[in-house]
Short mmCIF file of all heavy atoms in Angstrom, two decimals:
data_model
loop_
_atom_site.label_atom_id
_atom_site.label_comp_id
_atom_site.label_asym_id
_atom_site.label_seq_id
_atom_site.Cartn_x
_atom_site.Cartn_y
_atom_site.Cartn_z
N GLU P 1 -4.65 10.72 -0.15
CA GLU P 1 -5.23 10.89 -1.42
C GLU P 1 -4.24 11.25 -2.44
O GLU P 1 -3.02 11.42 -2.04
CB GLU P 1 -6.22 12.07 -1.29
CG GLU P 1 -7.37 11.78 -0.23
CD GLU P 1 -8.27 13.01 -0.13
OE1 GLU P 1 -7.74 14.17 -0.09
OE2 GLU P 1 -9.42 12.85 -0.01
N ASP P 2 -4.65 11.46 -3.71
CA ASP P 2 -3.80 11.87 -4.70
C ASP P 2 -2.53 10.95 -4.98
O ASP P 2 -1.49 11.46 -5.23
CB ASP P 2 -3.40 13.33 -4.68
CG ASP P 2 -4.59 14.26 -4.52
OD1 ASP P 2 -5.51 14.02 -5.29
OD2 ASP P 2 -4.56 15.19 -3.68
N LEU P 3 -2.81 9.60 -4.71
CA LEU P 3 -1.68 8.74 -4.91
C LEU P 3 -1.57 8.33 -6.39
O LEU P 3 -2.48 8.56 -7.20
CB LEU P 3 -1.98 7.39 -4.10
CG LEU P 3 -2.17 7.64 -2.61
CD1 LEU P 3 -2.55 6.28 -1.92
CD2 LEU P 3 -0.95 8.24 -1.99
N SER P 4 -0.50 7.80 -6.74
CA SER P 4 -0.25 7.28 -8.11
C SER P 4 -0.69 5.88 -8.36
O SER P 4 -0.52 5.08 -7.50
CB SER P 4 1.35 7.42 -8.48
OG SER P 4 1.79 8.75 -8.39
N ALA P 5 -1.26 5.63 -9.57
CA ALA P 5 -1.79 4.28 -9.86
C ALA P 5 -0.69 3.38 -10.00
O ALA P 5 0.44 3.75 -10.31
CB ALA P 5 -2.63 4.41 -11.07
N ASP P 6 -0.96 2.14 -9.64
CA ASP P 6 -0.09 1.01 -9.70
C ASP P 6 1.32 1.33 -9.22
O ASP P 6 2.30 1.00 -9.86
CB ASP P 6 0.11 0.68 -11.31
CG ASP P 6 0.74 -0.66 -11.68
OD1 ASP P 6 0.56 -1.52 -10.69
OD2 ASP P 6 1.22 -0.93 -12.68
N THR P 7 1.34 1.64 -7.92
CA THR P 7 2.55 2.14 -7.37
C THR P 7 2.62 1.52 -5.90
O THR P 7 1.61 1.42 -5.15
CB THR P 7 2.62 3.59 -7.14
OG1 THR P 7 2.58 4.22 -8.49
CG2 THR P 7 3.93 4.04 -6.44
N ARG P 8 3.81 0.98 -5.51
CA ARG P 8 4.05 0.50 -4.17
C ARG P 8 4.35 1.55 -3.23
O ARG P 8 5.14 2.46 -3.43
CB ARG P 8 5.12 -0.45 -4.26
CG ARG P 8 5.71 -0.99 -2.88
CD ARG P 8 4.75 -1.99 -2.25
NE ARG P 8 4.53 -3.18 -3.07
CZ ARG P 8 3.68 -4.15 -2.80
NH1 ARG P 8 2.98 -4.05 -1.66
NH2 ARG P 8 3.59 -5.21 -3.58
N TYR P 9 3.64 1.57 -2.07
CA TYR P 9 3.87 2.54 -0.99
C TYR P 9 4.16 1.74 0.27
O TYR P 9 3.74 0.60 0.42
CB TYR P 9 2.64 3.38 -0.78
CG TYR P 9 2.31 4.44 -1.91
CD1 TYR P 9 1.51 4.08 -2.91
CD2 TYR P 9 3.09 5.60 -1.97
CE1 TYR P 9 1.26 4.99 -3.99
CE2 TYR P 9 2.78 6.60 -2.95
CZ TYR P 9 1.90 6.20 -3.98
OH TYR P 9 1.68 7.18 -4.95
N TYR P 10 4.82 2.42 1.18
CA TYR P 10 5.13 1.84 2.58
C TYR P 10 4.59 2.97 3.56
O TYR P 10 4.57 4.13 3.29
CB TYR P 10 6.56 1.73 2.78
CG TYR P 10 7.18 0.60 1.78
CD1 TYR P 10 7.59 1.08 0.58
CD2 TYR P 10 7.08 -0.69 2.13
CE1 TYR P 10 8.08 0.08 -0.35
CE2 TYR P 10 7.63 -1.70 1.27
CZ TYR P 10 8.14 -1.32 0.03
OH TYR P 10 8.57 -2.21 -0.92
N TYR P 11 4.13 2.47 4.74
CA TYR P 11 3.61 3.36 5.68
C TYR P 11 3.91 2.96 7.13
O TYR P 11 4.29 1.69 7.38
CB TYR P 11 2.09 3.60 5.63
CG TYR P 11 1.31 2.28 5.96
CD1 TYR P 11 0.79 2.00 7.10
CD2 TYR P 11 1.11 1.38 4.90
CE1 TYR P 11 0.12 0.95 7.43
CE2 TYR P 11 0.41 0.25 5.16
CZ TYR P 11 -0.12 -0.06 6.31
OH TYR P 11 -0.75 -1.24 6.64
N ARG P 12 4.05 3.84 8.09
CA ARG P 12 4.24 3.43 9.47
C ARG P 12 3.76 4.61 10.27
O ARG P 12 3.33 5.67 9.78
CB ARG P 12 5.74 3.21 9.77
CG ARG P 12 6.65 4.39 9.65
CD ARG P 12 8.13 4.16 9.67
NE ARG P 12 8.93 5.37 9.65
CZ ARG P 12 10.23 5.36 9.57
NH1 ARG P 12 10.86 4.26 9.61
NH2 ARG P 12 10.93 6.48 9.46
N TYR P 13 3.75 4.45 11.65
CA TYR P 13 3.30 5.47 12.55
C TYR P 13 4.35 5.68 13.60
O TYR P 13 5.12 4.75 13.99
CB TYR P 13 1.94 5.06 13.27
CG TYR P 13 0.86 5.13 12.28
CD1 TYR P 13 0.46 4.06 11.46
CD2 TYR P 13 -0.05 6.19 12.30
CE1 TYR P 13 -0.62 4.08 10.65
CE2 TYR P 13 -1.12 6.26 11.42
CZ TYR P 13 -1.43 5.15 10.62
OH TYR P 13 -2.53 5.27 9.74
N ARG P 14 4.37 6.85 14.20
CA ARG P 14 5.32 7.26 15.20
C ARG P 14 4.54 7.80 16.38
O ARG P 14 3.51 8.55 16.25
CB ARG P 14 6.35 8.33 14.80
CG ARG P 14 7.27 7.82 13.74
CD ARG P 14 8.32 8.91 13.48
NE ARG P 14 9.38 8.47 12.52
CZ ARG P 14 10.41 7.81 12.87
NH1 ARG P 14 10.71 7.52 14.16
NH2 ARG P 14 11.42 7.48 11.88
N ALA P 15 4.95 7.42 17.60
CA ALA P 15 4.34 8.05 18.86
C ALA P 15 5.53 8.34 19.80
O ALA P 15 6.07 7.28 20.40
CB ALA P 15 3.35 7.08 19.49
N GLY P 16 5.91 9.53 19.95
CA GLY P 16 7.11 9.87 20.73
C GLY P 16 8.38 9.17 20.04
O GLY P 16 8.58 9.37 18.87
N GLU P 17 9.05 8.43 20.81
CA GLU P 17 10.19 7.71 20.38
C GLU P 17 10.00 6.37 19.67
O GLU P 17 10.91 5.77 19.20
CB GLU P 17 11.20 7.61 21.49
CG GLU P 17 11.69 8.90 22.11
CD GLU P 17 12.64 8.70 23.25
OE1 GLU P 17 12.88 7.58 23.69
OE2 GLU P 17 13.04 9.67 24.00
N ARG P 18 8.71 5.98 19.78
CA ARG P 18 8.42 4.61 19.31
C ARG P 18 7.87 4.64 17.87
O ARG P 18 7.22 5.58 17.48
CB ARG P 18 7.31 3.95 20.24
CG ARG P 18 7.94 3.64 21.59
CD ARG P 18 6.95 2.77 22.42
NE ARG P 18 7.45 2.50 23.76
CZ ARG P 18 8.22 1.45 23.99
NH1 ARG P 18 8.52 0.62 23.06
NH2 ARG P 18 8.64 1.20 25.24
N THR P 19 8.16 3.55 17.13
CA THR P 19 7.68 3.49 15.77
C THR P 19 6.98 2.11 15.64
O THR P 19 7.28 1.07 16.15
CB THR P 19 8.90 3.58 14.80
OG1 THR P 19 9.65 4.65 14.98
CG2 THR P 19 8.43 3.44 13.39
N SER P 20 5.90 2.19 14.84
CA SER P 20 5.07 0.91 14.61
C SER P 20 5.80 0.13 13.68
O SER P 20 6.83 0.37 13.04
CB SER P 20 3.74 1.30 13.94
OG SER P 20 3.90 1.81 12.69
N GLU P 21 5.29 -1.08 13.40
CA GLU P 21 5.71 -1.92 12.26
C GLU P 21 5.45 -1.17 10.97
O GLU P 21 4.72 -0.21 10.88
CB GLU P 21 4.80 -3.13 12.24
CG GLU P 21 4.79 -4.02 13.54
CD GLU P 21 3.79 -5.18 13.45
OE1 GLU P 21 3.35 -5.62 12.35
OE2 GLU P 21 3.27 -5.51 14.51
N ILE P 22 6.09 -1.67 9.96
CA ILE P 22 5.93 -1.07 8.62
C ILE P 22 4.88 -1.85 7.82
O ILE P 22 4.94 -3.14 7.77
CB ILE P 22 7.29 -1.13 7.87
CG1 ILE P 22 8.31 -0.15 8.50
CG2 ILE P 22 7.09 -0.66 6.40
CD1 ILE P 22 9.71 -0.23 7.93
N GLY P 23 3.93 -1.24 7.28
CA GLY P 23 3.02 -1.81 6.37
C GLY P 23 3.27 -1.37 4.88
O GLY P 23 3.91 -0.40 4.65
N THR P 24 2.63 -2.14 4.01
CA THR P 24 2.69 -1.80 2.66
C THR P 24 1.45 -2.06 1.83
O THR P 24 0.69 -2.88 2.30
CB THR P 24 3.88 -2.57 1.91
OG1 THR P 24 4.15 -2.11 0.59
CG2 THR P 24 3.67 -4.10 1.95
N PHE P 25 1.28 -1.38 0.71
CA PHE P 25 0.23 -1.57 -0.19
C PHE P 25 0.62 -1.18 -1.63
O PHE P 25 1.49 -0.31 -1.82
CB PHE P 25 -1.06 -0.86 0.20
CG PHE P 25 -0.99 0.63 0.30
CD1 PHE P 25 -1.16 1.36 -0.83
CD2 PHE P 25 -0.68 1.30 1.50
CE1 PHE P 25 -1.07 2.76 -0.77
CE2 PHE P 25 -0.54 2.66 1.61
CZ PHE P 25 -0.72 3.43 0.47
N ARG P 26 -0.04 -1.72 -2.59
CA ARG P 26 0.10 -1.27 -3.99
C ARG P 26 -1.25 -0.69 -4.41
O ARG P 26 -2.32 -1.36 -4.29
CB ARG P 26 0.53 -2.48 -4.86
CG ARG P 26 0.94 -1.97 -6.20
CD ARG P 26 1.53 -3.12 -7.05
NE ARG P 26 2.21 -2.52 -8.23
CZ ARG P 26 3.44 -2.11 -8.26
NH1 ARG P 26 4.24 -2.26 -7.20
NH2 ARG P 26 4.09 -1.65 -9.34
N THR P 27 -1.24 0.45 -5.02
CA THR P 27 -2.39 1.06 -5.55
C THR P 27 -2.91 0.28 -6.85
O THR P 27 -2.08 -0.42 -7.54
CB THR P 27 -2.30 2.57 -5.87
OG1 THR P 27 -1.09 2.71 -6.76
CG2 THR P 27 -2.07 3.37 -4.62
N ALA P 28 -4.13 0.39 -7.12
CA ALA P 28 -4.73 -0.26 -8.35
C ALA P 28 -4.18 0.41 -9.59
O ALA P 28 -3.83 1.53 -9.65
CB ALA P 28 -6.27 -0.22 -8.38
N PRO P 29 -4.10 -0.42 -10.64
CA PRO P 29 -3.77 0.26 -12.02
C PRO P 29 -4.90 1.11 -12.38
O PRO P 29 -6.08 1.11 -11.93
CB PRO P 29 -3.71 -1.03 -12.97
CG PRO P 29 -3.75 -2.24 -12.05
CD PRO P 29 -4.33 -1.84 -10.80
N ALA P 30 -4.51 2.03 -13.30
CA ALA P 30 -5.65 2.93 -13.86
C ALA P 30 -6.67 2.13 -14.60
O ALA P 30 -6.41 1.01 -15.12
CB ALA P 30 -4.96 3.99 -14.83
N PRO P 31 -7.92 2.58 -14.69
CA PRO P 31 -8.98 1.83 -15.22
C PRO P 31 -8.72 1.46 -16.67
O PRO P 31 -9.30 0.43 -17.23
CB PRO P 31 -10.17 2.74 -15.18
CG PRO P 31 -9.90 3.66 -13.99
CD PRO P 31 -8.37 3.86 -13.96
N SER P 32 -7.94 2.12 -17.38
CA SER P 32 -7.53 1.76 -18.83
C SER P 32 -6.52 0.69 -18.88
O SER P 32 -6.33 0.20 -20.01
CB SER P 32 -7.19 3.00 -19.52
OG SER P 32 -5.96 3.55 -19.02
N GLN P 33 -5.80 0.32 -17.82
CA GLN P 33 -4.69 -0.53 -17.88
C GLN P 33 -5.11 -1.94 -17.75
O GLN P 33 -5.83 -2.30 -16.75
CB GLN P 33 -3.65 -0.10 -16.82
CG GLN P 33 -2.41 -1.00 -16.88
CD GLN P 33 -1.39 -0.62 -15.71
OE1 GLN P 33 -1.60 0.50 -15.06
NE2 GLN P 33 -0.36 -1.39 -15.52
N SER P 34 -4.71 -2.82 -18.62
CA SER P 34 -5.01 -4.24 -18.50
C SER P 34 -3.88 -5.02 -17.67
O SER P 34 -2.78 -5.21 -18.28
CB SER P 34 -5.07 -4.90 -19.91
OG SER P 34 -5.40 -6.22 -19.85
N ALA P 35 -4.09 -5.14 -16.46
CA ALA P 35 -3.07 -5.76 -15.58
C ALA P 35 -3.60 -6.97 -14.82
O ALA P 35 -4.78 -6.96 -14.34
CB ALA P 35 -2.52 -4.62 -14.61
N ALA P 36 -2.86 -7.96 -14.75
CA ALA P 36 -3.21 -9.19 -14.01
C ALA P 36 -3.39 -8.75 -12.52
O ALA P 36 -2.89 -7.80 -12.01
CB ALA P 36 -2.13 -10.24 -14.14
N VAL P 37 -4.14 -9.60 -11.77
CA VAL P 37 -4.47 -9.32 -10.44
C VAL P 37 -4.62 -10.72 -9.73
O VAL P 37 -5.13 -11.68 -10.29
CB VAL P 37 -5.78 -8.52 -10.26
CG1 VAL P 37 -6.94 -9.13 -10.86
CG2 VAL P 37 -5.94 -8.12 -8.84
N ARG P 38 -4.25 -10.76 -8.42
CA ARG P 38 -4.36 -11.89 -7.54
C ARG P 38 -4.90 -11.31 -6.23
O ARG P 38 -4.25 -10.51 -5.63
CB ARG P 38 -3.09 -12.64 -7.35
CG ARG P 38 -3.14 -13.85 -6.57
CD ARG P 38 -1.87 -14.69 -6.62
NE ARG P 38 -0.64 -13.82 -6.22
CZ ARG P 38 0.18 -13.26 -7.11
NH1 ARG P 38 0.10 -13.51 -8.34
NH2 ARG P 38 1.28 -12.55 -6.64
N PHE P 39 -6.07 -11.96 -5.76
CA PHE P 39 -6.61 -11.37 -4.49
C PHE P 39 -7.27 -12.65 -3.85
O PHE P 39 -7.62 -13.69 -4.39
CB PHE P 39 -7.53 -10.30 -4.80
CG PHE P 39 -8.67 -10.63 -5.68
CD1 PHE P 39 -9.92 -11.24 -5.09
CD2 PHE P 39 -8.73 -10.54 -7.01
CE1 PHE P 39 -10.92 -11.50 -5.93
CE2 PHE P 39 -9.70 -10.84 -7.82
CZ PHE P 39 -10.83 -11.31 -7.27
N GLY P 40 -7.47 -12.42 -2.50
CA GLY P 40 -8.09 -13.50 -1.62
C GLY P 40 -9.35 -13.01 -1.06
O GLY P 40 -9.71 -11.89 -1.07
N TRP P 41 -10.07 -14.01 -0.45
CA TRP P 41 -11.21 -13.63 0.42
C TRP P 41 -11.38 -14.59 1.58
O TRP P 41 -11.03 -15.81 1.38
CB TRP P 41 -12.59 -13.47 -0.36
CG TRP P 41 -13.28 -14.84 -0.70
CD1 TRP P 41 -14.35 -15.22 0.05
CD2 TRP P 41 -13.11 -15.61 -1.85
NE1 TRP P 41 -14.87 -16.30 -0.64
CE2 TRP P 41 -14.12 -16.59 -1.80
CE3 TRP P 41 -12.07 -15.69 -2.81
CZ2 TRP P 41 -14.19 -17.72 -2.63
CZ3 TRP P 41 -12.24 -16.75 -3.81
CH2 TRP P 41 -13.28 -17.78 -3.64
N VAL P 42 -11.62 -14.07 2.72
CA VAL P 42 -11.89 -14.98 3.88
C VAL P 42 -13.00 -14.52 4.71
O VAL P 42 -13.62 -13.38 4.47
CB VAL P 42 -10.54 -14.85 4.78
CG1 VAL P 42 -9.28 -15.03 4.00
CG2 VAL P 42 -10.52 -13.40 5.53
#
């Protein structure tokens, strides 16, 4: 929670000495910001 709008983040998980793959996401722009967007559906 309490993330910053329109910001790239990275995440991963650890279990003992092992580490997961790295994932990434970008948060949405603030509702007042006019920003282009590209998305898919499957």
Side-chain angles (χ1 to χ4, degrees):
E1 301 175 322
D2 300 321
L3 303 179
S4 298
D6 197 20
T7 301
R8 171 72 60 185
Y9 291 95
Y10 300 87
Y11 64 95
R12 67 185 179 188
Y13 288 85
R14 292 184 178 276
E17 298 175 1
R18 294 189 180 272
T19 304
S20 73
E21 302 170 28
I22 295 172
T24 186
F25 60 84
R26 190 173 194 89
T27 52
S32 60
Q33 183 179 351
S34 183
V37 60
R38 180 173 55 257
F39 60 90
W41 83 98
V42 310

